[in-house]
Every structure is written in C-alpha cells, then in structure tokens.
Amino acid sequence: MCFEVDKAQHRCDNIFFVDTVCAEAFNPDEDEDDKEPRVTHPKTDEQRQRLQEACRDILLFKNLDPEQMSQVLDAMFEKFCTVGEHIIDQDDDGDNFYVIESGTFNIFVKIEGAEKLVGSYDNKGSFGELALMYNTPRAATIIATSPGALWCLDRLTFRRIIVKNNAKKRKMYEAFIETLPLLTSLEVSERMKVVDVLSTRVYNDSQQIIAQGDLADCFYIVESGQVRITMKRSRTKKDEEEEEEVDIATCTRGQYFGELALVTNKPRAASAYAVGSVKCLVLDVKAFERLLGPCMDIMKRNIANYEEQLVALFGSSAEIEQQSA
Ligand code: CMP
Ligand code: CMP
C-alpha cells in the first residue's frame, strides 16, 4: 500500500488547525480481511458495564450494528495510566484507539518545531483514531495529567470494523459532499475526512435546532428539508418593551448554518427551527476547527452578508464580528 503524508498547518486567528493530509488510495475492502482471528479480552460484568457507558457517545461507534458493536466491546481492553504518562507520541505508528473512562489528558502538536498545547480531554471522549484510519503517523502527543483509565481497541479490530463501516458512510455521503460550495477549497481527501467525522440528526416540524444566546458546540449542513433562522427583536408596544422573533433567513439542502458562533467565539447569534421534517449533517466543534480551517475565509465573508441582511431588516446590525479569545 502506498501513501503520501503531507503535514498541513492552517493558522487561523487564535486557533491552530493542524491536519494530516493523506493522499492514500484507500480501500478497506482490500486492506485487512475478515479472516483475521477475532480479538477477545474477557471482562467482568462490572467492567463491561463501565466500558459500555464510556463508549455511549463515541461518534465512530454510532453507526455500528449490534453484532459489530459487540465485537468491538469484546476486543477492548483496559489500561490504567499515571500522571505524566505519554499515551501517544507524535510521529509514532498507531497501535490502539483509546476511549477515555476517566482522567485528564493534554494534547500537544509540534508547530514550527515547538510542542504546542492545542487542547485537552476532561474525563470523556476518545483519541488515536487518525493514524489508524488514514495509515499515517500519530498526529499529536497525548499525555495524562491525572491518574486515569482508558479502554483500548487494537489497530486490526479498529480497521476491520470501524474503518470498513466508515467506508460505507463515505459512499453514502460522497456525492452530496462534493456538491457543497463551502467545501470546494478542500482536497478530496480532506472532504472525505469531513464525511468520516460527521453525524446526522433528524428534526420534526417546528423543533428548535439552535437557540439564540446558547453556547455553540457544533455546526450544521442541511441534507433535506428547510430550516428557518430567526432573531429576537425588542419593540415597544403600548409603552411596554416586548420581544418578538423575526424570520431572517431560510436554509435548504446544501446550505450551512451555526458556523458563526464557532468563527466568532460568541454565543449563537440567531435561532434555527425545522420547517417540516429536516435532516442535518452535524460537525462537532473540534472536527470543525481541525478540518474546516481552509474554509474559514468563505465563512468569514458571510459575516458581511449577515450584517447587510440585518441592516436591511432591522436598520442596524448586531455585533457579529469576531471576539478575541
Ligand atoms: P492520532 O493521530 O492517531 O494520534 C494522536 C491523536 O490526537 C489523533 O489521532 C487525534 O485523535 C488526537 N488529536 C486531538 N487534537 C488533535 C489535533 N489538533 N491534531 C491532531 N490530532 C489531534
Ligand atoms: P450561529 O450564530 O452559530 O447560530 C445561528 C446561525 O444563524 C448563525 O450561526 C448563522 O449560521 C445563521 N444566520 C443566518 N443569517 C444570519 C444573520 N443575518 N445573522 C446572524 N446569523 C445568521
């Protein structure tokens, strides 16, 4: 198998976007075959219960069928770690994928030769998927900052089940993702990585998707249906201040919303509601920062459009420019 690694670092204001771009011709069907012996690490009922709890919100496990999930749980094994322990060192080969049961961990990435703290995990989440998914060296160093417990999934089982399953997801979303104007500045391999990390959410008619003023943790692309964007406006009626919600925009298939709060580091500037039944692709904030760095200029350009829209509607625009973190 041949692959080429190109470390791209995208610096955008106060956020560092570090990604490993892999031009590998990737075909998990040809990669590892199903005849590999199954890995099983016996567990007590109590361990299995803790493991199930730790894995409940792990995105990569979300679209596994029950048989696949059961094989994954069988194969996972527990590892306890101590303060200062290096769980992963950048540039090493990938051995395991890790799900955090407890403990805190710092993430370091070499940027222009210096190790930079780019984030941390606090008693939840997972890491170590990139090297296993894309056959690349480890993209970051992970160090325990408290005693902790991790559940580990070996490389072969990860590739046999998770990577194969992700290939199905790629097939499902490939064509749609290719049509999205927002993502045209990304390489094909980068667009596929967006598919790998997105999840889908379905909303019923009138259901609220975003509430104005809330803190933001994800952004949305409409796959089907219509989304109504509204903003609160105060007005005086019979000498009393009232707040009304005014429609400001509509998003349909292929359009995105909910990026503004992530770009500006501010609370949600508007609310969003489903009109009829709506399906959205959702990207969480970490994946957004890591993968959509190159699209940031397009999204920033949109801020001017929003301001124009608000001036046309309300006579003045809210302050939606970037906030320094
Ligand atoms: P992997 O490259 O296998 O090993 C290091 C892991 O750190 C990586 O997978 C991701 O799961 C995780 N990680 C968290 N933040 C970053 C980041 N900014 N850049 C690269 N990897 C990151
Ligand atoms: P965000 O602030 O994260 O959440 C509400 C979303 O509404 C916002 O991102 C934009 O994606 C979208 N939106 C559409 N039109 C406007 C507008 N004129 N002003 C602010 N947000 C808008």
Side-chain angles (χ1 to χ4, degrees):
M1 173 182 298
C2 71
F3 64 90
E4 202 180 286
V5 179
D6 165 25
K7 287 260 164 78
Q9 291 183 358
H10 316 286
R11 213 199 142 146
C12 181
D13 300 313
N14 47 13
I15 309 169
F16 278 98
F17 299 98
V18 180
D19 196 26
T20 308
V21 181
C22 170
E24 179 183 4
F26 178 76
N27 186 348
D29 291 332
E30 288 170 6
D31 208 33
E32 281 98 21
D33 73 39
D34 259 341
K35 291 169 202 91
E36 291 286 338
R38 300 259 159 94
V39 178
T40 302
H41 290 276
K43 291 166 196 74
T44 62
D45 287 349
E46 181 269 336
Q47 273 182 312
R48 202 167 172 94
Q49 206 165 5
R50 280 193 288 118
L51 170 60
Q52 260 163 339
E53 185 56 29
C55 293
R56 214 160 37 115
D57 292 324
I58 302 300
L59 176 65
L60 283 168
F61 295 168
K62 282 246 155 96
N63 46 6
L64 299 180
D65 65 35
E67 171 55 26
Q68 290 170 320
M69 191 64 217
S70 164
Q71 286 184 33
V72 165
L73 296 179
D74 284 346
M76 290 184 92
F77 58 97
E78 199 166 16
K79 170 185 164 60
F80 296 100
C81 41
T82 51
V83 181
E85 187 173 336
H86 285 225
I87 312 301
I88 288 179
D89 280 304
Q90 188 168 350
D91 297 328
D92 278 3
D93 288 340
D95 48 2
N96 297 310
F97 168 64
Y98 298 93
V99 173
I100 299 167
E101 181 179 313
S102 64
T104 51
F105 302 83
N106 276 343
I107 309 162
F108 296 92
V109 173
K110 280 181 219 145
I111 294 169
E112 285 153 14
E115 292 248 308
K116 190 170 162 57
L117 179 67
V118 295
S120 59
Y121 298 102
D122 186 357
N123 285 286
K124 62 176 191 244
S126 62
F127 54 82
E129 76 293 357
L130 298 179
L132 308 188
M133 283 177 84
Y134 307 118
N135 261 335
T136 50
R138 293 296 199 187
T141 295
I142 309 283
I143 302 178
T145 48
S146 75
L150 295 166
W151 289 101
C152 318
L153 181 66
D154 68 281
R155 176 191 177 89
L156 275 182
T157 309
F158 184 92
R159 289 191 63 85
R160 187 170 60 77
I161 299 177
I162 313 290
V163 176
K164 222 172 209 180
N165 214 55
N166 247 34
K168 279 192 213 143
K169 194 169 153 199
R170 284 186 178 199
K171 277 200 186 116
M172 244 162 73
Y173 287 107
E174 207 168 0
F176 177 52
I177 284 283
E178 291 298 315
T179 66
L180 298 177
L182 172 67
L183 305 184
T184 47
S185 57
L186 299 183
E187 305 278 332
V188 176
S189 62
E190 290 174 313
R191 281 202 285 272
M192 286 306 97
K193 286 181 182 179
V194 173
V195 177
D196 289 343
V197 297
L198 53 83
S199 55
T200 50
R201 278 190 215 155
V202 175
Y203 301 90
N204 300 322
D205 185 32
S206 307
Q207 196 176 343
Q208 188 166 45
I209 304 171
I210 285 180
Q212 185 175 343
D214 275 5
L215 293 179
D217 59 2
C218 62
F219 119 112
Y220 303 81
I221 299 170
V222 182
E223 186 186 345
S224 61
Q226 237 188 54
V227 174
R228 195 162 68 94
I229 309 286
T230 68
M231 207 176 237
K232 287 181 196 142
R233 174 170 74 167
S234 36
R235 61 169 188 172
T236 314
K237 196 177 167 191
K238 292 185 190 149
D239 287 340
E240 280 189 33
E241 276 277 295
E242 265 188 2
E243 226 172 35
E244 59 176 352
E245 224 167 323
V246 183
D247 280 12
I248 53 170
T250 305
C251 296
T252 53
R253 180 175 164 83
Q255 292 180 313
Y256 64 90
F257 62 96
E259 83 299 354
L260 185 61
L262 305 182
V263 171
T264 57
N265 284 318
K266 284 186 170 181
R268 297 294 194 188
S271 296
Y273 296 92
V275 180
S277 152
V278 169
K279 193 171 176 195
C280 289
L281 309 184
V282 186
L283 217 66
D284 81 6
V285 65
K286 284 199 181 110
F288 176 87
E289 289 172 359
R290 189 159 52 78
L291 294 168
L292 296 193
C295 308
M296 211 45 90
D297 284 342
I298 302 175
M299 293 193 257
K300 281 191 180 155
R301 255 182 269 145
N302 228 3
I303 295 183
N305 298 340
Y306 291 152
E307 279 170 345
E308 268 174 35
Q309 205 174 38
L310 298 180
V311 171
L313 279 164
F314 303 134
S316 71
S317 77
E319 280 177 30
I320 51 181
E321 72 275 9
Q322 181 147 7
Q323 197 172 58
S324 49

